[in-house]
Amino acid sequence: MCGIVGAVSARTPPEGLARAMIATLRRRGPDGVGLWAADGAAFGQARLAVIDLTEAGAQPMLSADRRHVINFNGEIYNAEDLRRRLDAEGPAIAWRGRSDTEVFLEWIARHGVASALEASAGMFAFAVWDRVQRRLTLARDRAGEKPLYYGWAGDALVFASELKALRIAPGFDPAVDPEAEAAFAERGYTPAPLTLYRAARKLPAGSWLTWSPSEGRVWPTPVRWWSIEAVAARGAADPITDPQAADAALEEALGRAVERQMIADVPLGAFLSGGIDSSLIAALMQARSTRPVKTFTVAFDEAAFDESGHAQAVADHLGTEHHALRVSSDQARAVVPTLADMYDEPFADASQIPTSLIAALARRQVTVALSGDGGDELFGGYNRHRLLPRIQRTLGPWPRPLRQGAAGLLRHAPTGLVERLAAGAGASASVARRLNDLAAMLEAADDPRALYAAALRVWPGRMAPDAPSSDEGDYARWMMLADYLGYLPDDVLTKVDRAAMYHSLETRCPYLDPDIAVLAWRLPMALKLSGGVGKRPLRRLLDRYAPAALTDRPKAGFTPPIGDWIRGPLADWAEHLLTPERLAGQAAFDPATVQRLWRAHRAGRANHGRRLWPVLIYGAWRERWVTT
């Protein structure tokens, strides 16, 4: 695990450029810096040592025949199997160390990059330079756990794990991309391949590209090397319809994924919220460990936001060595000023704050933490997977004028009064926001794709979902594929990677093992979603390790009370970023609308925290990266 950078140029010597770029990523790799440069190419790495802590595992790394150079960020979980296969087929390789990177590189040297990608189970973003063909290859893992950006700095093609490394390259044009601004405003994150800079792009998950200096300053075209739609289609053609057979296959596959993701030469633990996904990962880890597994959660003052009691109960039952850090509201809010550096492109999923706090807590004791991310996308865990099909069936047949009229009534409801009544009844979410969301879904109820976009949209726009090619008549199935293609890599995994690596912590996601993806799509939707409940297979498997009473509760968010914070302790910070002068300097949000929402919010007439948070995050990002 590390931060990687590189530059390739036909004319400009890039060694100094790579050296300067890697200096920006030391939080991703505090254990050492490596640099390789020759023939117009230069790679740099800031290393977080996890497997083979010796110099034999350092990078950038040359293949035994010295033809290929690799700059690799991530882990190959089946590296030992690949090593045995290489040794068995011959000729013998004089292995220099035990690192998974060396195994992956030697597979490339012998069989090529495409074969290495297909053979490997892992999370990664990497660059390979072929010194004979003078060709650069960039690639990213199937789900998009590890990030990779690329762009132009003068005549050099540059790449890096984070945008800040590209931003400092001489010749890089920091002009903002209006299309990316609009996409961020709608979603609260920037979808691949866009970045907020016109001169940079984000390599999509499951994609690779190649480029040679002889091609000149032309954008290389990413090509998908792995397709979740193809996996789903094959699964539908070969389903596992027997629940007992499905449960047995899941226990074997997920247990294997957890076991191989527990391999590390450094201390290892797990995030534990007490929900289905993280509890099952912790249970499978503990069942495979000879000592108590270290688990981590963060406790908060706000009762509606605090899941630490549930996590503690699960930890006590499983027998893990549990660590809970009680964080005050002041401590949580203290994360906010760091977000523009932590996420050096605008990112407005407010659960980034507790994610950063739990990563900081875990890093005090471990270097690697397993998480439960990916379970919702593969097994139908989001509320929208259950609710949107009902909305479509119930409201879709209504005549459009009737739906539009009802939406207008909802939008003009006396939300201030409703908010106060709801608060008195103990409601934790903004009623005004819910009414606005329902209005948008009413208008889109006859169009499944528009309905899905409305459910995810933060600000009005024309967002097209990251849609699979076909829904095959099953709306929930289509949404899960769309989530895997877009929301998972660009929101969930971006959030976790930046928050964890800001604290030099590696995270691993067993649910994103390719074998789990293959198995999940062999399970019919009726086995995943039934009786108004999602993730049925995960629930049944967890029941073998912990009583359902400990984990079976409504899905809780991990989102702090942003609306209350920006109305209260963060009001001055918000006021500073929402002045008409600052709002006029950007094109993502309409200044008049923002000012109207802010006045109503600050006066307590409504709760617009969800809509104002992206505006504030964008303003803080511009102040840090655009206007300085």
Side-chain angles (χ1 to χ4, degrees), residues 243-244 246-248 251 317 539-547:
Q244 291 184 331
D247 291 351
E251 183 167 27
H317 181 82
R539 293 172 187 272
R540 288 194 299 269
L541 179 52
L542 181 57
D543 286 347
R544 302 181 186 182
Y545 295 91

Side-chain angles (χ1 to χ4, degrees), residues 562-568 595-610 612:
I562 289 296
D564 294 338
W565 287 0
I566 63 176
R567 183 187 289 126
Q595 284 283 303
R596 176 176 55 80
L597 296 180
W598 173 232
R599 287 193 297 269
H601 182 86
R602 188 161 191 182
R605 297 194 300 272
N607 186 345
H608 294 302
R610 180 171 179 259
L612 290 170

